Amino acid sequence: MSPAERQARALDPAGQAALAEAAGMIGLDPTGAVVLQHRKHTVVRLPRATGRASAVAKIYKSGEDRCAVQRQTTAAHWLRDNGVMTARPLSEPAVTRQGRLVTFSEDLGDGGPVSCTQLAHLLLALHALPVPEHLCLPVTDPARQLLARIAALPRRVLAPADRHWLHGQVTAAGHQWSTHPWPQAPVVVHGDLNTFNTLLSPGYGPALLDLESLATGPALYDLAFIAWTRDGFAADPREYEDFRTAYGVDVTTVQHGAAYRVLARLRAACGVVIALEAASRDPAWLPEATHRTACLRRQGEGPATYPWDWNSRERAVLRPGRRAAADPAVDGPGGCAPAPDGPPSSTPGGPPASACGRRP
């Protein structure tokens, strides 16, 4: 890991103070905390949390909604109690004197993402559960926060005419979403499927992580994440074949493709917003943002021709001579995940990543 990467993964003083205070509230030892992930929120491992076992802490950014974090904690218990593996919380969310929220959960250990077949089985179990009234899950609304994020983009990356066009595209996609006759009743959806949010745990097996986007909506919404890694990011098509065979549904052919056309339009718009947000912080993303925008414009002009060969928003390992591929442009609450730090990957090497583990 380079010095810049180590610095990016270091816990800042405010995060250290929040972690120490919150850990003290429930009797855990934060000594030697190791940053596992630093994206919208920060996830750290406490190697000596209880003196015998490690734990994982999630330090939320300032201003995070307390009710939403409490719902994630309750949802994790509900999933485990109903046979869907996720990390079980060790306590209720802690609130520091500065208002920062911190949660603590069991450590499922180190491991890579699940395979596409394993992900299909996890989703089958999740989608089969009755919608729990006690969780008061929100209804999935993919366009709502995208529109707010488009409005917040600086003019240097999105000119007024382009902003008007993109706003119109997302508004139209949101209308299609809300009026489409989805073939099944709403189920519980994960809503943020990517390589960060699944784990093949050495001790627990395949697990779903990060329940921030848990909501109710059509099951096809989750399935589209996996299809889009193939269509938007040129992931190995055999991975999607493994997934759809194990799940038993091909989202791209449901209703003669009509459902996926709605979902793909939202996935594409989400990916454009991610790249534009990244370009507002790092000009190296401007070419990728331009490329994604051009793809979205072509999608609006007629039947889309895939794959688009988008670059990944996270560092990926690639085949020689290929554009970066296949860590998906993914949704966060109501829209898509926060824009990445650093340029899009274009490092030659091995095969592209995907929303699930690589095919053997």
Side-chain angles (χ1 to χ4, degrees):
M1 185 182 295
S2 71
E5 289 172 325
R6 282 195 296 270
Q7 182 177 4
R9 297 194 73 173
L11 198 56
D12 61 45
Q16 291 176 2
L19 177 63
E21 182 181 346
M25 291 178 184
I26 61 171
L28 297 181
D29 182 0
T31 304
V34 178
V35 176
L36 301 178
Q37 188 183 120
H38 188 62
R39 297 170 71 207
K40 180 181 178 184
H41 310 296
T42 302
V43 179
V44 301
R45 172 174 286 140
L46 310 183
R48 294 187 292 276
T50 67
R52 295 173 300 175
S54 59
V56 171
K58 187 171 187 177
I59 307 166
Y60 288 82
K61 65 179 179 58
S62 298
E64 191 69 11
D65 182 66
R66 184 173 180 175
C67 291
V69 175
Q70 178 62 62
R71 183 169 59 237
Q72 294 163 39
T73 298
T74 306
H77 285 296
W78 173 74
L79 288 175
R80 282 290 290 269
D81 291 345
N82 285 275
V84 179
M85 179 53 61
T86 192
R88 190 180 286 279
L90 299 177
S91 68
E92 294 299 297
V95 186
T96 70
R97 289 187 296 268
Q98 300 301 317
R100 294 286 292 274
L101 288 156
V102 184
T103 59
F104 298 92
S105 62
E106 64 183 334
D107 188 353
L108 299 184
D110 292 318
V114 300
S115 71
C116 290
T117 298
Q118 291 165 334
L119 179 55
H121 292 156
L122 280 170
L123 290 180
L124 281 169
L126 175 65
H127 296 163
L129 295 176
V131 175
E133 293 185 6
H134 72 285
L135 287 183
C136 298
L137 293 173
V139 176
T140 304
D141 185 358
R144 178 177 56 84
Q145 286 198 1
L146 277 179
L147 291 173
R149 292 167 73 167
I150 290 168
L153 287 166
R155 186 168 181 165
R156 67 180 181 275
V157 298
L158 192 62
D162 292 331
R163 189 186 311 273
H164 178 77
W165 170 82
L166 184 56
H167 186 281
Q169 289 294 305
V170 174
T171 299
H175 178 72
Q176 285 184 325
W177 164 270
S178 62
T179 59
H180 187 80
W182 301 104
Q184 286 107 16
V187 299
V188 177
V189 294
H190 181 274
D192 192 7
L193 293 170
N194 63 82
T195 52
F196 293 104
N197 292 341
T198 69
L199 176 71
L200 184 55
S201 168
Y204 295 87
L208 287 173
L209 306 177
D210 195 348
L211 307 180
E212 287 185 52
S213 300
L214 205 70
T216 62
L220 299 178
Y221 182 65
D222 276 345
L223 309 190
F225 281 79
I226 318 307
W228 188 250
T229 65
R230 178 196 67 184
D231 294 342
F233 293 87
D236 187 339
R238 294 175 299 173
E239 293 174 348
Y240 179 67
E241 289 300 307
D242 290 345
F243 175 82
R244 75 167 185 86
T245 299
Y247 190 91
V249 174
D250 182 355
V251 63
T252 68
T253 62
V254 172
Q255 298 173 321
H256 305 286
Y260 188 64
R261 285 192 289 273
V262 175
L263 295 164
R265 190 176 185 184
L266 287 163
R267 297 260 52 78
C270 175
V272 169
V273 171
I274 284 176
L276 288 168
E277 287 179 325
S280 72
R281 295 189 293 183
D282 184 350
W285 270 85
L286 281 170
E288 177 65 15
T290 300
H291 171 60
R292 293 189 184 189
T293 301
C295 291
L296 182 60
R297 286 185 181 275
R298 288 195 300 271
Q299 186 187 50
E301 294 170 356
T305 302
Y306 301 121
W308 285 353
D309 250 2
W310 284 3
N311 272 337
S312 168
R313 65 181 179 85
E314 303 290 350
R315 195 174 297 273
V317 181
L318 312 173
R319 292 192 197 85
R322 278 190 73 93
R323 289 173 53 84
D327 199 15
V330 296
D331 274 4
C336 44
D341 293 312
S345 172
S346 56
T347 307
S354 71
C356 35
R358 293 193 183 99
R359 196 173 190 272

